[in-house]
Amino acid sequence: MPTPQANPKIDAYIAKAAPFAQPILQRLRSLIHKACPDVVEEIKWSRPFFLHRGVILCNVSAFKSHCSFGFWGAEIGKILKQDNVLQDGGMGSLGRIASVKELPPDKQLLGYLRQAAVFIESGQGETWVAAQRRVVKAPKPALVAPPEFTAALKKSKLAANAYAAFSPSCQREYLEWIVSAKRQETRDKRIAQAIEWIGEGKQRNWKYQEC
């Protein structure tokens, strides 16, 4: 029986699935619509997806010997993990599903679906993909100024005052440039050039931007 707001492309997807997979997909689809009546069906990456308020709620897939069901919200994923429901394998949240009997009880799955929809409505619908890609960068370790550079600054009051007024990022640019020199001769030349530029109030990349 067609579901509300049924997408003909998903009807066709289910019809083409293996006989064992069709009742699994139909049950999941029915529960998704029951939990979230305004869900929108779409085909993405050649498989059925279900969107709530424009955000992916979940998706289903059929393979040769199993089906998969996956939530896309990072927050609902945390709850599934806490409840020991999240499983590995099968490209989804519930692992490899080979029969309707292997699905969680309807009441439990409806609860997760409704909670996932609430997360989306409250702005917590970030996908697990986005959450994994969101990496908090650790601050760069502090660089110690080479003694030769420190000595050169002490010899030039103008450069020392200008360097002290630079932002930490501008100071770091000079230090990274100096310490990256592999030869002492190259380092000495860079220190001399740095003192000249700093005395003129210029940052390391003064030709391209201002400090």
Side-chain angles (χ1 to χ4, degrees), residues 81-93:
K81 190 172 183 179
Q82 291 172 357
D83 292 351
N84 293 319
V85 174
L86 194 64
Q87 298 184 28
D88 295 328
M91 293 177 62
S93 304

Side-chain angles (χ1 to χ4, degrees), residues 43-61:
I43 291 290
K44 294 178 178 289
W45 301 292
S46 302
R47 57 178 59 94
F49 276 76
F50 302 85
L51 283 69
H52 180 51
R53 297 191 178 183
V55 178
I56 295 176
L57 177 71
C58 57
N59 77 288
V60 297
S61 301

Side-chain angles (χ1 to χ4, degrees), residues 54-111:
V55 178
I56 295 176
L57 177 71
C58 57
N59 77 288
V60 297
S61 301
F63 302 94
K64 290 183 179 180
S65 59
H66 73 278
C67 294
S68 72
F69 167 85
F71 283 106
W72 274 59
E75 294 302 320
I76 190 63
K78 293 178 183 177
I79 292 178
L80 295 176
K81 190 172 183 179
Q82 291 172 357
D83 292 351
N84 293 319
V85 174
L86 194 64
Q87 298 184 28
D88 295 328
M91 293 177 62
S93 304
L94 307 179
R96 295 173 181 267
I97 307 167
S99 71
V100 173
K101 294 180 181 179
E102 295 179 5
L103 290 170
D106 288 359
K107 183 178 180 180
Q108 183 182 22
L109 195 49
L110 283 170

